[in-house]
Amino acid sequence: MNTFPRRTLTLALLSLLQFLIAIDVTVVNVALPAIGERFDAGPAALSWVVTGYTLVGGGLLLLGGRLTDLLGRRRMFLLGAALFALASLAAGLAPNLETLIAARFAQGAGEALASPAAMSLIALLFPGPEERARALGVWGAISAGGLVVGVLLSGVIVQLLDWRWIFGINVPLAAFVIALTPMLVRADGSRVAGRRLDLPGAALLTGGPLTLVYGVLRGSVAAMFAGAVLLAAFILVEARTKSPLVPLSFFAHRTRAVANAATVPLSAGLSTSFFLLTLYMQDAVGLSPLQAGLAYLPFCAALLSAILLTPRLMGAIGTNRTALLGLLVTAAGLGWLARLPDEGGLWIDVLPGMIGVAAGMGVGLLALQNAALSDVTEDDAGTASGVQRSVDQLGGSLGLAVLVGTAIGGGSAQGPDFRAAFGWAAVCVLVTVVGMAVAGRRK
């Protein structure tokens, strides 16, 4: 098998697992009412089915990235895929809500091992800037497609089958990935023995966001303060430990630091848009779960088109300007959604803003992803990938908690609350535009 087909097949295989991981970010949204009815659970408890997966995944991604560099990319990819498959099976068979949430936590841990390994494999398989941009564009397009397919699948499965199948479909596909990986991905080389892992740092980075989100959802100032303290302790631990999850000097690379910081509001806007628009289309527009899922087809088309166009844009105007363009288009889409009426229509009130967010996200996130992997080597490709994925997921989860708390803090799901959430999201993205522009001029 010559190099080109092997690399292409490897990219397809790595992207398939990321597709399943992305599906599970959004697949539960439309299914939440059915899950709540089955387990007699209210919105506060059900929110952990959504955020638990991304928070644990995001919190452990740096550990996953570090393990990837220390123990090997193929090894960690296989281990993560196996854990994700087993956790999916446990979620589908869960006898109660507590077991389901625990299984979602385990799914997040599987992602934390597999995603940095896959991303770093891609970065090293395609070392040239242009070919890497194209490869990450394919990987990003398939991953983004998974976010939308998750909403579509959720509506179809809940309406025609049973909500448990939203997790069951992962098992055979993940098994397929595990079976083919040894055939396409070369075995890991020798690794340096005796290097320690920063387990306290991993615990703090996972516990801090979990505590913060708990505080936001419960309105507990004490919990929010405790979460902030845990995150501050994480920074202190990283500064003092001999084997940190990510050396603080890693962020001395200006391009990487700015790209990771700018990823936070974009990810928050995307997560919030998925969650709130799903509610709005069913509560205010009056769509069924299946119709709400199908309404995301234009979103999917705009997102995929933008991702496929982004490598050309980066080649024409540069990565930084491409990222700024993505941020501005995203802000415009969020601004349109900030005017949602209490009882709106799909075509005029929802779709223009939805398409703007999708196009901006496709351009902005891919450009920032490429910038976050600038100048990676064999020694730090896994760390850089873990940082980027962690920032993406934790930013999305924390932003979702804060903005959804703004929208439905009193248990309400009315238009004015939606407008406030989307308005604040747009403001955060615009502030990021200014920050990136200033940072670019200081280079």
Side-chain angles (χ1 to χ4, degrees), residues 164-424:
R164 294 182 182 277
W165 283 102
I166 65 177
F167 303 112
I169 59 175
N170 291 332
V171 179
L173 291 173
F176 174 78
V177 170
I178 293 169
L180 261 65
T181 296
M183 303 179 192
L184 293 174
V185 180
R186 292 183 176 85
D188 299 309
S190 59
R191 298 285 156 175
V192 177
R195 298 174 71 178
R196 295 191 305 173
L197 290 172
D198 179 19
L199 296 180
L204 289 168
L205 186 59
T206 305
L210 282 170
T211 306
L212 265 177
V213 169
Y214 176 84
V216 170
L217 293 175
R218 290 296 184 94
S220 169
V221 176
M224 286 187 277
F225 177 75
V229 169
L230 290 175
L231 289 176
F234 167 74
I235 295 175
L236 292 176
V237 167
E238 296 308 285
R240 296 183 179 184
T241 186
K242 294 182 179 180
S243 301
L245 285 178
V246 52
L248 295 185
S249 59
F250 176 87
F251 297 103
H253 192 290
R254 182 185 293 272
T255 299
R256 291 180 188 171
V258 171
N260 282 303
T263 297
V264 173
L266 271 183
S267 297
L270 180 59
S271 299
T272 301
S273 296
F274 267 118
F275 190 89
L276 292 183
L277 286 178
T278 301
L279 289 179
Y280 184 84
M281 286 189 291
Q282 293 182 72
D283 294 342
V285 181
L287 301 184
S288 68
L290 180 57
Q291 290 172 327
L294 292 174
Y296 276 98
L297 286 175
F299 183 101
C300 184
L303 186 64
L304 296 180
S305 299
I307 287 174
L308 294 175
L309 178 65
T310 300
R312 294 184 182 179
L313 277 174
M314 287 191 291
I317 65 175
T319 301
N320 188 63
R321 290 179 180 175
T322 301
L324 287 172
L325 176 62
L327 286 162
L328 287 170
V329 175
T330 301
L334 291 169
W336 184 273
L337 295 173
R339 52 165 292 283
L340 286 173
D342 292 355
E343 296 181 4
L346 176 64
W347 299 101
I348 300 299
D349 299 309
V350 176
L351 280 183
M354 178 188 282
I355 291 172
V357 170
M361 294 291 174
V363 173
L365 285 178
L366 181 56
L368 292 172
Q369 189 178 79
N370 275 269
L373 293 177
S374 297
D375 304 322
V376 297
T377 66
E378 280 277 357
D379 293 328
D380 65 2
T383 299
S385 302
V387 169
Q388 207 284 326
R389 295 294 301 151
S390 182
V391 166
D392 183 11
Q393 293 216 176
L394 290 179
S397 299
L398 292 172
L400 175 65
V402 172
L403 293 170
V404 168
T406 301
I408 57 175
S412 171
Q414 299 301 314
D417 294 321
F418 285 147
R419 290 197 290 270
F422 284 119
W424 280 113

